[in-house]
PDB file of all heavy atoms in Angstrom:
ATOM      1  N   GLU A 119     -45.105-156.577 -19.371  1.00 98.00           N
ATOM      2  CA  GLU A 119     -45.689-155.227 -19.739  1.00 98.00           C
ATOM      3  C   GLU A 119     -45.436-154.183 -18.648  1.00 98.00           C
ATOM      4  O   GLU A 119     -45.019-153.052 -18.852  1.00 98.00           O
ATOM      5  CB  GLU A 119     -47.200-155.364 -19.811  1.00 98.00           C
ATOM      6  CG  GLU A 119     -47.635-155.999 -21.042  1.00 98.00           C
ATOM      7  CD  GLU A 119     -49.143-156.411 -21.044  1.00 98.00           C
ATOM      8  OE1 GLU A 119     -49.732-156.402 -19.943  1.00 98.00           O
ATOM      9  OE2 GLU A 119     -49.753-156.700 -22.183  1.00 98.00           O
ATOM     10  N   LYS A 120     -45.295-154.682 -17.330  1.00 98.00           N
ATOM     11  CA  LYS A 120     -45.169-153.735 -16.287  1.00 98.00           C
ATOM     12  C   LYS A 120     -43.577-153.309 -16.202  1.00 98.00           C
ATOM     13  O   LYS A 120     -43.480-152.289 -15.962  1.00 98.00           O
ATOM     14  CB  LYS A 120     -45.550-154.551 -14.914  1.00 98.00           C
ATOM     15  CG  LYS A 120     -45.508-153.494 -13.664  1.00 98.00           C
ATOM     16  CD  LYS A 120     -46.537-152.437 -13.881  1.00 98.00           C
ATOM     17  CE  LYS A 120     -46.437-151.387 -12.714  1.00 98.00           C
ATOM     18  NZ  LYS A 120     -47.380-150.258 -12.967  1.00 98.00           N
ATOM     19  N   LEU A 121     -42.858-154.224 -16.441  1.00 98.00           N
ATOM     20  CA  LEU A 121     -41.394-153.973 -16.468  1.00 98.00           C
ATOM     21  C   LEU A 121     -41.030-152.960 -17.628  1.00 98.00           C
ATOM     22  O   LEU A 121     -40.170-152.043 -17.401  1.00 98.00           O
ATOM     23  CB  LEU A 121     -40.555-155.165 -16.495  1.00 98.00           C
ATOM     24  CG  LEU A 121     -40.522-156.068 -15.302  1.00 98.00           C
ATOM     25  CD1 LEU A 121     -39.826-157.444 -15.495  1.00 98.00           C
ATOM     26  CD2 LEU A 121     -40.033-155.472 -14.055  1.00 98.00           C
ATOM     27  N   ILE A 122     -41.622-153.115 -18.709  1.00 98.00           N
ATOM     28  CA  ILE A 122     -41.477-152.225 -19.775  1.00 98.00           C
ATOM     29  C   ILE A 122     -41.972-150.767 -19.431  1.00 98.00           C
ATOM     30  O   ILE A 122     -41.176-149.886 -19.798  1.00 98.00           O
ATOM     31  CB  ILE A 122     -42.256-152.748 -20.996  1.00 98.00           C
ATOM     32  CG1 ILE A 122     -41.488-153.914 -21.689  1.00 98.00           C
ATOM     33  CG2 ILE A 122     -42.423-151.579 -22.152  1.00 98.00           C
ATOM     34  CD1 ILE A 122     -42.379-154.755 -22.752  1.00 98.00           C
ATOM     35  N   GLU A 123     -43.059-150.734 -18.721  1.00 97.00           N
ATOM     36  CA  GLU A 123     -43.635-149.417 -18.346  1.00 97.00           C
ATOM     37  C   GLU A 123     -42.625-148.729 -17.239  1.00 97.00           C
ATOM     38  O   GLU A 123     -42.440-147.551 -17.302  1.00 97.00           O
ATOM     39  CB  GLU A 123     -44.918-149.728 -17.646  1.00 97.00           C
ATOM     40  CG  GLU A 123     -45.564-148.492 -17.038  1.00 97.00           C
ATOM     41  CD  GLU A 123     -46.867-148.862 -16.287  1.00 97.00           C
ATOM     42  OE1 GLU A 123     -47.596-149.661 -16.752  1.00 97.00           O
ATOM     43  OE2 GLU A 123     -47.081-148.326 -15.123  1.00 97.00           O
ATOM     44  N   MET A 124     -42.027-149.550 -16.351  1.00 96.00           N
ATOM     45  CA  MET A 124     -41.277-148.935 -15.270  1.00 96.00           C
ATOM     46  C   MET A 124     -39.797-148.649 -15.478  1.00 96.00           C
ATOM     47  O   MET A 124     -39.083-148.044 -14.747  1.00 96.00           O
ATOM     48  CB  MET A 124     -41.423-149.801 -13.907  1.00 96.00           C
ATOM     49  CG  MET A 124     -40.942-151.095 -14.129  1.00 96.00           C
ATOM     50  SD  MET A 124     -41.344-152.061 -12.572  1.00 96.00           S
ATOM     51  CE  MET A 124     -39.814-151.957 -11.675  1.00 96.00           C
ATOM     52  N   THR A 125     -39.204-149.188 -16.655  1.00 97.00           N
ATOM     53  CA  THR A 125     -37.844-148.970 -16.910  1.00 97.00           C
ATOM     54  C   THR A 125     -37.751-147.754 -17.790  1.00 97.00           C
ATOM     55  O   THR A 125     -38.621-147.392 -18.522  1.00 97.00           O
ATOM     56  CB  THR A 125     -37.226-150.255 -17.540  1.00 97.00           C
ATOM     57  OG1 THR A 125     -38.117-150.583 -18.714  1.00 97.00           O
ATOM     58  CG2 THR A 125     -37.149-151.401 -16.612  1.00 97.00           C
ATOM     59  N   PRO A 126     -36.557-147.072 -17.686  1.00 97.00           N
ATOM     60  CA  PRO A 126     -36.308-145.781 -18.342  1.00 97.00           C
ATOM     61  C   PRO A 126     -36.346-146.014 -19.871  1.00 97.00           C
ATOM     62  O   PRO A 126     -35.932-147.010 -20.395  1.00 97.00           O
ATOM     63  CB  PRO A 126     -35.024-145.375 -17.934  1.00 97.00           C
ATOM     64  CG  PRO A 126     -34.720-146.087 -16.673  1.00 97.00           C
ATOM     65  CD  PRO A 126     -35.434-147.421 -16.835  1.00 97.00           C
ATOM     66  N   GLY A 127     -36.877-144.851 -20.621  1.00 97.00           N
ATOM     67  CA  GLY A 127     -36.824-144.962 -22.091  1.00 97.00           C
ATOM     68  C   GLY A 127     -38.156-144.857 -22.666  1.00 97.00           C
ATOM     69  O   GLY A 127     -38.984-145.788 -22.572  1.00 97.00           O
ATOM     70  N   ASP A 128     -38.236-143.633 -23.447  1.00 95.00           N
ATOM     71  CA  ASP A 128     -39.626-143.568 -24.059  1.00 95.00           C
ATOM     72  C   ASP A 128     -39.440-144.093 -25.575  1.00 95.00           C
ATOM     73  O   ASP A 128     -39.468-143.429 -26.497  1.00 95.00           O
ATOM     74  CB  ASP A 128     -39.860-142.081 -24.190  1.00 95.00           C
ATOM     75  CG  ASP A 128     -41.240-141.737 -24.701  1.00 95.00           C
ATOM     76  OD1 ASP A 128     -42.120-142.675 -24.773  1.00 95.00           O
ATOM     77  OD2 ASP A 128     -41.493-140.671 -25.226  1.00 95.00           O
ATOM     78  N   PHE A 129     -39.296-145.386 -25.633  1.00 97.00           N
ATOM     79  CA  PHE A 129     -39.236-146.090 -26.931  1.00 97.00           C
ATOM     80  C   PHE A 129     -39.802-147.553 -26.844  1.00 97.00           C
ATOM     81  O   PHE A 129     -39.972-147.921 -25.626  1.00 97.00           O
ATOM     82  CB  PHE A 129     -37.773-146.243 -27.460  1.00 97.00           C
ATOM     83  CG  PHE A 129     -36.785-146.488 -26.291  1.00 97.00           C
ATOM     84  CD1 PHE A 129     -36.641-147.734 -25.831  1.00 97.00           C
ATOM     85  CD2 PHE A 129     -35.982-145.532 -25.788  1.00 97.00           C
ATOM     86  CE1 PHE A 129     -35.628-148.082 -24.859  1.00 97.00           C
ATOM     87  CE2 PHE A 129     -34.973-145.783 -24.813  1.00 97.00           C
ATOM     88  CZ  PHE A 129     -34.886-147.045 -24.363  1.00 97.00           C
ATOM     89  N   GLU A 130     -40.046-148.222 -27.868  1.00 98.00           N
ATOM     90  CA  GLU A 130     -40.729-149.494 -27.839  1.00 98.00           C
ATOM     91  C   GLU A 130     -39.641-150.432 -27.136  1.00 98.00           C
ATOM     92  O   GLU A 130     -38.466-150.473 -27.490  1.00 98.00           O
ATOM     93  CB  GLU A 130     -40.875-150.039 -29.161  1.00 98.00           C
ATOM     94  CG  GLU A 130     -42.247-149.449 -29.697  1.00 98.00           C
ATOM     95  CD  GLU A 130     -42.678-150.206 -31.004  1.00 98.00           C
ATOM     96  OE1 GLU A 130     -42.202-149.836 -32.150  1.00 98.00           O
ATOM     97  OE2 GLU A 130     -43.516-151.152 -30.865  1.00 98.00           O
ATOM     98  N   LYS A 131     -40.046-151.206 -26.199  1.00 98.00           N
ATOM     99  CA  LYS A 131     -39.285-152.283 -25.596  1.00 98.00           C
ATOM    100  C   LYS A 131     -39.896-153.640 -25.449  1.00 98.00           C
ATOM    101  O   LYS A 131     -41.175-153.728 -25.740  1.00 98.00           O
ATOM    102  CB  LYS A 131     -39.065-151.771 -24.097  1.00 98.00           C
ATOM    103  CG  LYS A 131     -38.501-150.513 -23.926  1.00 98.00           C
ATOM    104  CD  LYS A 131     -38.445-150.125 -22.364  1.00 98.00           C
ATOM    105  CE  LYS A 131     -38.590-148.703 -22.067  1.00 98.00           C
ATOM    106  NZ  LYS A 131     -39.075-148.350 -20.739  1.00 98.00           N
ATOM    107  N   LYS A 132     -39.137-154.586 -25.180  1.00 98.00           N
ATOM    108  CA  LYS A 132     -39.579-155.943 -24.964  1.00 98.00           C
ATOM    109  C   LYS A 132     -38.709-156.552 -23.822  1.00 98.00           C
ATOM    110  O   LYS A 132     -37.800-156.029 -23.377  1.00 98.00           O
ATOM    111  CB  LYS A 132     -39.475-156.917 -26.165  1.00 98.00           C
ATOM    112  CG  LYS A 132     -40.590-156.581 -27.313  1.00 98.00           C
ATOM    113  CD  LYS A 132     -40.591-157.693 -28.436  1.00 98.00           C
ATOM    114  CE  LYS A 132     -41.798-157.407 -29.292  1.00 98.00           C
ATOM    115  NZ  LYS A 132     -41.915-158.591 -30.330  1.00 98.00           N
ATOM    116  N   ALA A 133     -39.411-157.658 -23.154  1.00 98.00           N
ATOM    117  CA  ALA A 133     -38.610-158.266 -22.104  1.00 98.00           C
ATOM    118  C   ALA A 133     -38.630-159.674 -22.238  1.00 98.00           C
ATOM    119  O   ALA A 133     -39.404-160.387 -22.882  1.00 98.00           O
ATOM    120  CB  ALA A 133     -39.470-157.736 -20.884  1.00 98.00           C
TER     121      ALA A 133
END
Side-chain angles (χ1 to χ4, degrees):
E119 290 170 338
K120 189 62 187 175
L121 293 173
I122 286 168
E123 176 189 314
M124 63 185 259
T125 49
D128 186 20
F129 41 76
E130 282 193 273
K131 302 177 211 158
K132 285 196 174 181

